[in-house]
Amino acid sequence: MTSALIVIDVQNDFCSGGALEVPEGDQIVAPINLMIDDASIVILSQDWHPKNHASFAENHEGSTPFDVIEMPYGSQTLWPSHCVMGTRGAEFHGLLNTSRANAVIRKGSTSTIDSYSTFFENDRKTPTGLSGLLRECGVKTLTLVGLATDFCVAFSALDAIAQGFEVNMPLHACRAIDNQGSLADALTKLKLNGVRLV
Ligand code: VGL
Ligand code: ZN
């Protein structure tokens, strides 16, 4: 049975000194590199926003990071500006082994909508094409790792389940933002939906 390793958003802005630093984010690079060595299919995802992106607090007057606003597709946490396309912050962590990647999926490039998941934008409808790619390659089982456990990895895992894949999430290779209980909420949802937390 074919499986794929999906490495979510291991980018400078989510690592130490980055614009949206995830605590201990750097610590997952070494374990992920080991998993990359053993994987038959490797997909990397990259958060890739235009400067005027609607998820940036800076683009909403009077807002500060971590405020929550209502958008046409639901509530949206506002973030410090991060992973702006073409900047150093959007590049992969310098020690991540990107050489064996079969494909890189970029997401969050439409200014009006965020995309935590590497399968669908936050409207839960607009696809990135990843499902089709995996299906065409005969992939049935996914291992999801990366940043952040409670946002992009969790949203990707839930979409993957909804798309009919079996999903493993080794938590030693993920780290969380954990804003206002977001990690506990995500872990509960992941378990309920059949994601295997290992
Ligand atoms: C992410 C917040 C905003 C993530 C991306 O990779 O988890 N979180 N953009
Ligand atoms: Zn983002």
Side-chain angles (χ1 to χ4, degrees):
M1 187 139 78
T2 310
S3 60
L5 177 68
I6 318 282
V7 181
I8 311 278
D9 300 2
V10 181
Q11 294 165 263
N12 290 325
D13 270 344
F14 297 123
C15 293
S16 72
L20 179 43
E21 184 175 338
V22 179
E24 300 182 352
D26 304 58
Q27 292 185 17
I28 65 173
V29 175
I32 289 176
N33 282 340
L34 292 175
M35 298 168 90
I36 288 174
D37 286 338
D38 289 337
S40 51
I41 296 179
V42 178
I43 309 286
L44 307 179
S45 90
Q46 206 170 18
D47 212 35
W48 197 252
H49 299 307
K51 235 176 112 54
N52 66 345
H53 197 253
S55 78
F56 295 171
E58 205 177 28
N59 295 324
H60 299 267
E61 222 184 292
S63 294
T64 43
F66 302 101
D67 286 353
V68 178
I69 61 164
E70 284 309 311
M71 298 282 276
Y73 53 84
S75 44
Q76 170 72 52
T77 302
L78 295 179
W79 304 106
S81 297
H82 63 277
C83 298
V84 173
M85 43 177 72
T87 64
R88 189 183 169 278
E91 285 170 20
F92 292 115
H93 186 288
L95 296 177
L96 182 72
N97 174 15
T98 60
S99 61
R100 292 201 58 239
N102 297 78
V104 176
I105 301 288
R106 286 177 170 164
K107 61 185 179 62
S109 307
T110 306
S111 63
T112 50
I113 182 164
D114 209 358
S115 186
Y116 294 148
S117 164
T118 184
F119 290 92
F120 291 95
E121 295 189 351
N122 284 10
D123 60 2
R124 325 302 292 160
K125 285 196 286 262
T126 311
T128 61
L130 178 58
S131 258
L133 186 158
L134 294 172
R135 257 189 227 118
E136 205 166 349
C137 295
V139 173
K140 303 270 190 278
T141 305
L142 307 180
T143 298
L144 266 69
V145 295
L147 305 170
T149 316
D150 42 349
F151 289 93
C152 290
V153 185
F155 275 63
S156 299
L158 293 171
D159 279 348
I161 291 278
Q163 290 292 300
F165 297 102
E166 277 177 38
V167 183
N168 298 308
M169 225 176 114
L171 292 174
H172 76 285
C174 303
R175 286 296 184 277
I177 294 173
D178 202 11
N179 178 47
Q180 303 196 327
S182 55
L183 177 59
D185 291 351
L187 293 176
T188 304
K189 248 191 222 163
L190 291 165
K191 277 182 223 158
L192 271 175
N193 284 274
V195 174
R196 287 197 294 247
L197 302 173
V198 287

